[in-house]
Amino acid sequence: VQLQASGGGLVQAGGSLRPSCVASGRTNGNYVLGWFRRAPGKEREFVAAIKFSGRDTKYVDSVKGRFTVSRADAENTFYLQMNNLQPWDTAIYYCAAESRSGFSYHSRGEYYDYWGQGTLVTVSS
């Protein structure tokens, strides 16, 4: 499975961005697509996850109500709609995929076998 993330950028506080992640290779509905981020000087953090079927989603508390993860119909393209961005959202955002946990450990990066290259999101105050 290969993952290609894009769509980061520079935005002012309160603005929006919608990074995307394209997954290629052999996958099925049991796969989970996760979004993680790493802010400067901080450890990697789980942000959101969605089953490849598109039916279940999970979010870290700090982004609930602001971020939405989704899958484009009939495509292995996933989006992370980020609204009301704040300076503390500044980070490199990575998409990752796993099929081992059945969504049980969606927030744990060690369960993800495939990672994209990351896309930088910078939010200015």
Side-chain angles (χ1 to χ4, degrees):
V1 177
Q2 295 80 44
L3 302 170
Q4 181 74 35
S6 61
L10 173 64
V11 65
Q12 289 187 331
S16 298
L17 285 172
R18 193 180 74 155
S20 63
C21 178
V22 179
S24 59
R26 298 187 66 178
T27 63
N28 56 49
N30 292 324
Y31 272 76
V32 175
L33 190 287
W35 284 95
F36 292 79
R37 65 187 178 186
R38 187 187 297 273
K42 294 187 177 181
E43 294 186 353
R44 184 180 63 199
E45 176 189 32
F46 166 76
V47 177
I50 185 171
K51 283 188 174 180
F52 268 50
S53 64
R55 295 178 179 175
D56 296 293
T57 58
K58 299 287 186 182
Y59 300 91
V60 67
D61 286 347
S62 61
V63 307
K64 286 180 179 178
R66 300 189 299 127
F67 291 12
T68 303
V69 61
S70 63
R71 174 181 175 175
D73 290 340
E75 298 176 3
N76 274 354
T77 299
F78 299 84
Y79 299 100
L80 184 65
Q81 178 67 48
M82 305 189 296
N83 298 328
N84 191 22
L85 283 160
Q86 299 300 320
W88 55 83
D89 294 315
T90 294
I92 299 175
Y93 283 71
Y94 299 90
C95 59
E98 66 97 354
S99 62
R100 291 186 283 161
S101 80
F103 221 39
S104 297
Y105 299 107
H106 57 275
S107 64
R108 296 177 61 172
E110 61 266 34
Y111 278 82
Y112 287 78
D113 298 311
Y114 310 99
W115 290 82
Q117 84 286 6
T119 185
L120 177 62
V121 171
T122 304
V123 185
S124 63
S125 57

